[in-house]
Amino acid sequence: MHVLKLRDYRLYLGGRFFAAMSQQMLAVAIGWYLYDLTGDPLTLGYAGLAVFLPIAIFTLPGGDVADRHDRRRILALAHLVQAGCSAILVWLAATRTVDPWPFYAVLALSGTARAYSAPAVQSFAPFLVPREQFAESVAWSSSANRIATILGPALGGLIYLLGAEAAFAACLLQSLLVSASMIAIRTRVAPAVEKGSTAFSRAVAGLRFVRRQPVVFGAISLDLFAVMLGTISAVLPGYAHDVPDVGPGGLGAMRSSLALGAVATALALAAMPAQRLPHAGKAMFIGVGIFGAAILLFGLSTSFALSIAALAIMGA
């Protein structure tokens, strides 16, 4: 039986697709709205921080909760919270709220929901398909996520042309759809926690495992510092607004170009024979170097086309 004929997996895959779409659309809409409201780049930094801090704080507890409780209910509740956040944003935009702090509070709540949903959704798929079809299910999940990452920003920018309320309302509807699809899954997963262990001891055990695996620890560290010191996603609304002045539709296209570069490279690597693949460690360092050079190119660019190209190289 093809993996897409499995009812629970179809619900999971559809929910994951629309969750990624909603997240990408929200990033475009809230970034453009706040910068258009204040004209202050620091506002974008605070907005990014409001999302990041809850994710940094609650992701490890979220993983422990996913091990101990029904993942369907965790995901359904998390996306109901996301829907609530989108509803509040619709109201804030409709009432022309000018103070950015309510938006930061909503983003912090959204980040908290993401911190609990991410471990649950990533660990749920293996229980929805037979073992021999797991690789196929991963391929479909990855493809759906990539498509959503490309379409989401562009679609979010286009919908924003109808007004901020329309963009936030689209995120609201998608979050409700994701919540309904997750709770409709029938598969139950038994808790996977050792008796007598504590949440803290389990978190420490996970960190020790990563620390003892040089390849895993090195890859995570390299990616962490490259993204921490080089990410520009947070300031894209200000750049799109002030430099090429391309509007929310252009902002969506810029964010989509990052995903397009990543997808194109992933497809090229997948098609390349194994014996022709570069040494992984060397390729990672070269990739980070090209990533940094593309950031510099983007920073110097005043051309929309050149900026799109630089972003695609960053994604690649």
Side-chain angles (χ1 to χ4, degrees):
M1 180 183 293
H2 194 278
V3 68
L4 292 182
K5 292 184 177 180
L6 300 173
R7 174 188 176 275
D8 283 357
Y9 182 74
R10 288 200 308 272
L11 289 168
Y12 168 85
L13 186 65
R16 190 164 183 178
F17 174 79
F18 285 108
M21 282 276 288
S22 176
Q23 183 178 321
Q24 294 295 327
M25 291 171 64
L26 180 62
V28 170
I30 194 66
W32 185 268
Y33 185 87
L34 287 177
Y35 190 78
D36 196 43
L37 181 70
T38 65
D40 184 3
L42 195 58
T43 302
L44 300 175
Y46 287 141
L49 190 64
V51 176
F52 167 76
L53 283 179
I55 293 176
I57 294 170
F58 294 113
T59 293
L60 284 178
D64 189 67
V65 169
D67 281 340
R68 293 188 293 110
H69 298 284
D70 188 342
R71 290 170 175 82
R72 301 173 315 119
R73 294 181 179 178
I74 295 171
L75 291 168
L77 179 60
H79 288 288
L80 275 180
V81 173
Q82 295 283 25
C85 291
S86 296
I88 296 172
L89 290 174
V90 171
W91 178 77
L92 290 174
T95 55
R96 301 296 183 266
T97 303
V98 296
D99 188 349
W101 286 102
F103 293 93
Y104 300 153
V106 173
L107 289 174
L109 181 59
S110 175
T112 303
R114 286 170 57 182
Y116 280 92
S117 66
V121 77
Q122 291 171 7
S123 61
F124 199 12
F127 299 97
L128 301 176
V129 298
R131 181 185 296 270
E132 62 273 12
Q133 291 182 296
F134 178 65
E136 184 183 357
S137 74
V138 171
W140 276 100
S141 297
S142 178
S143 297
N145 193 66
R146 288 170 178 168
I147 293 170
T149 305
I150 294 171
L151 292 179
L155 186 58
L158 290 175
I159 293 176
Y160 194 98
L161 296 175
L162 302 175
E165 299 93 326
F168 295 138
C171 296
L172 164 62
L173 292 175
Q174 288 179 97
S175 294
L176 290 174
L177 182 62
V178 176
S179 182
S181 66
M182 292 301 174
I183 204 63
I185 294 174
R186 296 169 183 164
T187 301
R188 305 289 194 275
V189 181
V193 175
E194 294 181 10
K195 293 183 179 179
S197 62
T198 64
F200 179 77
S201 67
R202 292 190 292 271
V204 170
L207 293 173
R208 284 176 179 166
F209 172 80
V210 171
R211 182 66 183 87
R212 291 170 182 167
Q213 305 295 321
V215 174
V216 176
F217 183 71
I220 289 176
S221 301
L222 183 64
D223 187 53
L224 170 67
F225 284 103
V227 174
M228 183 182 295
L229 300 175
T231 186
I232 60 170
S233 297
V235 298
L236 280 180
Y239 178 87
H241 190 285
D242 293 344
V243 181
D245 190 18
V246 290
L251 171 60
M254 292 170 73
R255 289 187 66 100
S256 292
S257 65
L258 280 162
L260 274 172
V263 170
T265 303
L267 292 174
L269 289 174
M272 190 181 297
Q275 62 271 21
R276 294 182 58 188
L277 290 174
H279 183 272
K282 187 184 297 184
M284 288 175 64
F285 278 104
I286 293 173
V288 170
I290 296 173
F291 180 75
I295 291 174
L296 293 176
L297 176 63
F298 178 84
L300 295 171
S301 171
T302 58
S303 162
F304 180 60
L306 182 59
S307 299
I308 288 284
L311 289 168
I313 293 170
M314 287 176 60

